[in-house]
């Protein structure tokens, strides 16, 4: 029997690729949906995205006009850079080392300002170019907004809660440190001390919120795509058309490539800035000859927590979606093996003594997927069903075999200039950081002794 010829195009796959409950939907409905866009009533997802856009505009990520661009960078330079630098220069008094160390404070301001500037530049560029919907891949015409409506809303809310959860402890730590510092760095009046206290807290909170918000945005984008990969795994239990499966996987990989392309500069620069900041801080603290306490060195702790949390959020989100994408090949291999065995081996069937009907001896009769909270250490178990519609002829076997080979050759995942962000890259990053730490300690503590 001649094999059907399947032509795979290199262009981006169609946006209306069918999934579970829309596998028979006609692609010709897309122009009609575009014409009726203005007639669609506002939904809860629209209001959630609008609130998110207002929040990002308040932080200065909206550069859609010249006025918003000027206001955003003016607020950044004044609030994030000029205010803390001027205060530190004016409060440089003799005998103030117990309350603050000027070199330490300037280094912290510089590292925070650099990280916030990178976040502001990269995220504002993507938001201005694509808009909030296409930036998050929740466009009306993607064919999935209605199906994942409430999941999108829940994920966005969970990510904003995560931002508050990490920002609040750091804010409390920073506030406590500044209140104690004011007692040691004397000023002309308590009014001046109070004004300086609020100015420093406002500046630090502004920069930290911008940095964490950029990491949260990347976290949202990745977790929204995780939903589609989980849904694609369920599609294997419902869809037997290999062409549909390949087209849907091409669409998912296309989205991953777009995400990688949009965020690769941001991820690389964030990692470099955080690494350089931590190395410089380690050099300063270990090489300082005086006494370092929570009062004069507490900013190192608060700022380091913010920077490291941002890196962890990005790496966790990228590794999670890479794990999901690479695991599709394993699920498809099990699906292919079970379909082949159940359709080609007649010894798998047995006769029931009580009812005389045929039953499959394999106990795998349902699909169960349960991902643990920590996807970095989880090994998921997927039991594929015995489906008599899957492969009865050799042509179906060859289609499935080609599909599995396609998945193995195209695992997918978030990449940074070709490097896939997975467990192997995290191990590499860990050992690079460990090597840098031991190098700094060798140059400061060992040599000084």
């Amino acid at each position: 029997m001649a094999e059907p010829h399947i032509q795979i195009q290199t262009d981006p796959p169609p946006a209306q690729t069918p999934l579970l409950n829309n596998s028979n939907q006609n692609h010709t409905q897309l122009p009609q949906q575009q014409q009726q866009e203005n007639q669609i009533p506002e939904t809860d997802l629209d209001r959630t995205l609008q609130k998110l856009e207002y929040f990002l505009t308040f932080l200065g990520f909206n550069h859609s006009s010249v006025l918003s661009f000027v206001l955003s960078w003016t607020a950044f330079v004044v609030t994030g850079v000029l205010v803390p630098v001027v205060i530190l220069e004016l409060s440089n008094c003799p005998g103030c080392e117990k309350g603050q160390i000027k070199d330490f404070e300037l280094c912290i301001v510089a590292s925070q300002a650099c990280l916030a500037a990178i976040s502001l530049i990269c995220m504002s560029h993507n938001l201005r170019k694509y808009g909030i919907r296409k930036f998050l891949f929740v466009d009306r015409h993607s064919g999935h907004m209605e199906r994942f409506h409430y999941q999108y809303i829940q994920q966005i809310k969970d990510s904003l809660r995560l931002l508050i959860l990490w920002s609040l402890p750091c804010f409390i730590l920073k506030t406590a440190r500044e209140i104690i510092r004011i007692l040691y760095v004397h000023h002309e009046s308590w009014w001046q001390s109070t004004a300086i206290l609020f100015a420093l807290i406002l500046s630090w909170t502004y920069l930290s919120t911008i940095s964490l918000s950029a990491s949260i945005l990347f976290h949202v984008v990745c977790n929204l795509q995780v939903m589609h990969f989980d849904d694609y795994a369920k599609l294997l239990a419902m869809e037997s058309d290999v062409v549909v499966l390949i087209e849907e996987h091409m669409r998912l990989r296309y989205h991953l490539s777009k995400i990688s392309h949009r965020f690769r500069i941001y991820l690389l620069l964030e990692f470099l800035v955080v690494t350089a900041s931590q190395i410089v801080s380690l050099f300063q603290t270990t090489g300082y000859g005086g006494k370092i306490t929570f009062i004069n060195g507490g900013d190192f702790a608060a700022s380091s927590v913010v920077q490291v949390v941002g890196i962890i959020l990005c790496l966790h989100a990228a590794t999670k979606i890479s794990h999901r994408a690479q695991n599709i090949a394993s699920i498809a291999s099990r699906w292919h093996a079970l379909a082949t065995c159940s359709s080609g081996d007649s010894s798998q069937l047995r006769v029931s003594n009580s009812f005389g009907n045929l039953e499959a001896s394999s106990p795998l009769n349902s699909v169960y997927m349960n991902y643990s909270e920590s996807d970095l250490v989880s090994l998921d178990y997927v039991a594929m069903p015995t489906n008599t519609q899957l492969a009865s002829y050799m042509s179906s076997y060859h289609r499935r075999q080609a599909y599995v080979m396609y998945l193995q050759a195209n695992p997918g995942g978030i990449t940074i200039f070709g490097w896939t962000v997975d467990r192997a890259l995290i191990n590499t990053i860990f050992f690079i950081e460990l090597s840098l730490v031991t190098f700094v300690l060798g140059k400061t503590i060992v040599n000084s002794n």
Side-chain angles (χ1 to χ4, degrees), residues 351-385:
V351 179
S352 175
N353 294 329
S354 58
F355 297 97
N357 55 351
L358 293 177
E359 294 180 346
S361 61
S362 174
L364 305 180
N365 54 7
S366 62
V367 178
Y368 174 73
M369 296 183 64
N370 184 15
Y371 290 99
S372 66
E373 291 296 329
S374 177
D375 289 274
L376 301 182
V377 297
S378 67
L379 180 61
D380 38 77
Y381 168 72
V382 180
M384 302 307 300

Side-chain angles (χ1 to χ4, degrees), residues 98-131:
K98 292 182 179 181
Q100 68 178 19
I101 302 174
K102 182 180 177 181
D103 294 338
F104 288 5
E105 302 292 337
L106 292 176
C107 176
I108 294 172
V109 172
S111 62
Q112 278 195 308
C114 289
L115 188 59
I118 291 171
S119 303
L120 195 60
I121 292 173
C122 295
M123 295 302 165
S124 62
H125 171 74
N126 288 326
L127 288 172
R128 182 181 68 253
K129 185 176 181 180
Y130 303 105

Side-chain angles (χ1 to χ4, degrees), residues 91-102 104-105 177-186 288 290-299:
S91 61
N92 186 23
C93 57
C96 293
E97 288 80 7
K98 292 182 179 181
Q100 68 178 19
I101 302 174
K102 182 180 177 181
F104 288 5
E105 302 292 337
R177 187 261 173 183
E178 289 298 330
I179 293 175
I180 299 175
R181 187 187 68 86
I182 289 296
L183 301 177
Y184 288 85
V185 181
H186 301 286
Y288 183 68
K291 185 178 180 180
I292 299 178
T293 62
F294 171 76
I295 301 172
N296 58 17
D299 267 358

Side-chain angles (χ1 to χ4, degrees), residues 169-179 200-201 204 299 302:
C170 297
F171 174 78
I172 295 175
L173 179 63
K174 172 67 176 179
T175 304
R177 187 261 173 183
E178 289 298 330
I179 293 175
L200 290 177
I201 293 177
W204 183 91
D299 267 358

Side-chain angles (χ1 to χ4, degrees), residues 15-16 21-37 40 140-143 146:
Q16 283 283 344
N21 60 353
N22 59 349
S23 59
N24 297 324
Q25 188 176 5
N26 193 347
H27 298 291
T28 60
Q29 296 178 356
L30 180 58
Q32 299 177 1
Q33 292 179 358
Q34 292 177 348
Q35 295 176 1
Q36 298 175 355
E37 179 180 3
I40 299 177
R140 287 184 183 274
H141 311 306
S142 64
E146 183 178 355

Side-chain angles (χ1 to χ4, degrees), residues 63 158 177 239 246 261 274 292 343 349 357 367 395 410 428:
H63 292 174
D158 291 343
R177 187 261 173 183
E239 182 63 56
I246 293 178
H261 180 76
V274 172
I292 299 178
S343 62
L349 299 178
N357 55 351
V367 178
S395 59
N410 299 272
T428 303

